[in-house]
Amino acid sequence: MTQPRHLISVIALLASFSICMLQPTERTSAAIQQLATLNDRGRGIQLYKAGDVKGAIVALRLAAKQNENDVTAWHYLGLALKTRGP
């Protein structure tokens, strides 16, 4: 008797999971945006540490623009801009 009940629970769980996966949400968009910011920030930091100041500035400006509260992106952007000079 527990087998059919268990099977129904599994089917219901799979159905609800697939519905959630098919519907894009604001939460998903925010997660994608945050990942893009982290990628730009990480790439910018790597470029800065490798000595590619111009490339670092481009990537870090993107990261700072995408998330104005990203203190790390602003920090490294400031360092890169200072290193570049006037």
Side-chain angles (χ1 to χ4, degrees):
M1 189 82 172
T2 58
Q3 290 288 354
R5 205 178 305 160
H6 178 69
L7 183 59
I8 291 171
S9 297
V10 170
I11 291 171
L13 180 64
L14 289 174
S16 63
F17 178 73
S18 62
I19 289 171
C20 290
M21 293 301 293
L22 292 175
Q23 296 179 352
T25 62
E26 288 182 29
R27 187 184 226 174
T28 304
S29 297
I32 291 170
Q33 183 72 17
Q34 185 178 18
L35 184 58
T37 300
L38 291 174
N39 285 340
D40 289 330
R41 181 180 71 188
R43 187 167 35 95
I45 292 170
Q46 286 177 342
L47 291 169
Y48 172 76
K49 289 181 177 180
D52 182 359
V53 176
K54 289 182 181 180
I57 290 171
V58 171
L60 292 165
R61 277 189 175 151
L62 279 173
K65 184 177 181 183
Q66 290 170 354
N67 181 2
E68 293 177 355
N69 297 321
D70 188 346
V71 178
T72 304
W74 284 109
H75 170 74
Y76 278 96
L77 178 57
L79 291 174
L81 289 169
K82 183 178 177 184
T83 301
R84 179 189 68 175

